[in-house]
Amino acid sequence: MSENDWISLNVGGQKFATCRSTLNREPSCMLARMFANPKSLKPGSTDSSGAFLIDRSPKYFEPILNYLRTGNLIIDPNLNPEGILEEARYFGIESLIPRLEQIVAQNSIPRDDRSLTRRDVIDALMSSSSGSGRGDTGLRFQGVNLESADLSRLDLRGINFKYANLSRARLTGANLSWCQLERADLSYALMEGAQMLGVKMLCANLEGVNLTNANFEDPAGTSANLEGANLRGANLENSTMAGINLRVATLKNVNMQNCDLRMAVLAGTLSRGTFF
């Protein structure tokens, strides 16, 4: 009996052919024990072609078999991961069960409550015909949850992020020029070196944000608008902020050392920070 022997399976009426070595990839699983040796737990019946009959769902068995072949879990978008998990438990594929349980648990969270990922944003950027540019591009992430998402170095110009949750997001080196960030939550986000030309951040929450070496100055003259924004404890050291509108913004404990504040509007700000 060789590991290279081919075995025919009839799972729920669909034929599968595989090597004994594939079924033995997980030695403790039922499939390995079925064909391990002459005294193994073989299926009770065969069909007319000699294929061993297994009364399980073929569509959920196929990703299990492919996992044993390659070590990679590939799930067709039209398949319910819960069905694959049920088969993994039935056949005892112990290395696969925790991964499927995680996928099922993630899918059980309502989409509106889930934090979007870098991949979600990139997919949206790639599918958008307007992609990036000056002003309103038509791409909207209004009110979405992007908490702790890694969006560093992405070109996000002109996107509507109004009311979005970007708390603790990583936006280092990202281009947010001309974005709409009105009342967005960017508290404690990492935004070092971000491009912020002409950005609209009215009443945005920027508490504790790291905006060191950021650039707010638009050579074309469109001023960044942070009117009413909360910048309590923010770090904007070495940022270029010429012409920025900080009217009635909260600047308590803000670090604005070495910032370029030429023509900045600071009327009515609540400030007690480091400016020089």
Side-chain angles (χ1 to χ4, degrees), residues 170-185:
R170 294 181 59 188
L171 289 151
T172 302
N175 193 340
L176 290 155
S177 298
W178 311 293
C179 279
Q180 297 287 338
L181 284 152
E182 181 179 342
R183 300 185 185 274
D185 184 0

Side-chain angles (χ1 to χ4, degrees), residues 8-271:
S8 294
L9 304 174
N10 183 332
V11 181
Q14 182 173 331
K15 297 288 185 65
F16 295 90
T18 187
C19 288
R20 189 186 308 276
S21 59
T22 295
L23 301 180
N24 285 336
R25 290 281 168 80
E26 191 129 348
S28 63
C29 78
M30 183 189 297
L31 291 168
R33 291 186 289 114
M34 281 178 176
F35 303 101
N37 56 62
K39 296 181 181 180
S40 62
L41 180 64
K42 282 187 168 35
S45 304
T46 58
D47 65 12
S48 58
S49 67
F52 293 99
L53 289 165
I54 300 176
D55 188 17
R56 303 298 294 183
S57 168
K59 68 177 181 178
Y60 293 122
F61 177 78
E62 186 170 6
I64 297 287
L65 183 59
N66 285 334
Y67 171 75
L68 292 174
R69 285 169 172 154
T70 66
N72 296 318
L73 175 61
I74 301 172
I75 301 177
D76 187 288
N78 296 317
L79 282 184
N80 188 336
E82 288 189 62
I84 304 172
L85 174 59
E86 186 64 30
E87 297 308 293
R89 287 171 174 161
Y90 177 81
F91 289 110
I93 315 295
E94 296 297 331
S95 64
L96 186 55
I97 291 172
R99 293 170 61 180
L100 285 164
E101 287 178 337
Q102 185 177 15
I103 293 170
V104 170
Q106 182 70 13
N107 287 349
S108 68
I109 302 173
R111 185 65 186 179
D112 289 345
D113 296 334
R114 288 163 54 192
S115 178
L116 299 186
T117 65
R118 181 183 181 89
R119 183 71 262 166
D120 293 326
V121 174
I122 290 174
D123 287 346
L125 289 170
M126 292 179 66
S127 63
S128 171
S129 59
S130 47
S132 63
R134 188 182 182 113
D136 185 0
T137 64
L139 190 57
R140 282 170 168 74
F141 286 95
Q142 186 166 326
V144 301
N145 184 6
L146 285 158
E147 183 175 1
S148 301
D150 181 6
L151 306 178
S152 52
R153 298 176 299 281
L154 292 182
D155 187 350
L156 305 169
R157 286 177 290 173
I159 294 176
N160 184 342
F161 286 107
K162 286 183 180 180
Y163 305 99
N165 178 9
L166 288 150
S167 178
R168 303 185 187 278
R170 294 181 59 188
L171 289 151
T172 302
N175 193 340
L176 290 155
S177 298
W178 311 293
C179 279
Q180 297 287 338
L181 284 152
E182 181 179 342
R183 300 185 185 274
D185 184 0
L186 287 138
S187 55
Y188 303 99
L190 301 178
M191 304 177 72
E192 306 99 311
Q195 293 297 308
M196 312 286 288
L197 284 63
V199 70
K200 306 301 180 186
M201 305 180 83
L202 282 76
C203 300
N205 182 13
L206 293 156
E207 182 171 357
V209 71
N210 186 343
L211 271 162
T212 55
N213 299 297
N215 179 28
F216 290 85
E217 184 181 13
D218 182 2
T222 303
S223 299
N225 191 347
L226 277 73
E227 184 172 339
N230 175 21
L231 285 152
R232 186 188 300 268
N235 186 357
L236 292 103
E237 188 171 353
N238 297 320
S239 290
T240 302
M241 305 172 69
I244 194 170
N245 181 358
L246 289 167
R247 184 175 177 275
V248 300
T250 299
L251 301 179
K252 289 184 177 180
N253 301 316
V254 70
N255 179 2
M256 298 175 76
Q257 291 188 82
N258 303 316
C259 285
D260 181 352
L261 290 163
R262 290 174 295 117
M263 304 299 292
V265 178
L266 296 165
T269 57
L270 299 173
S271 59

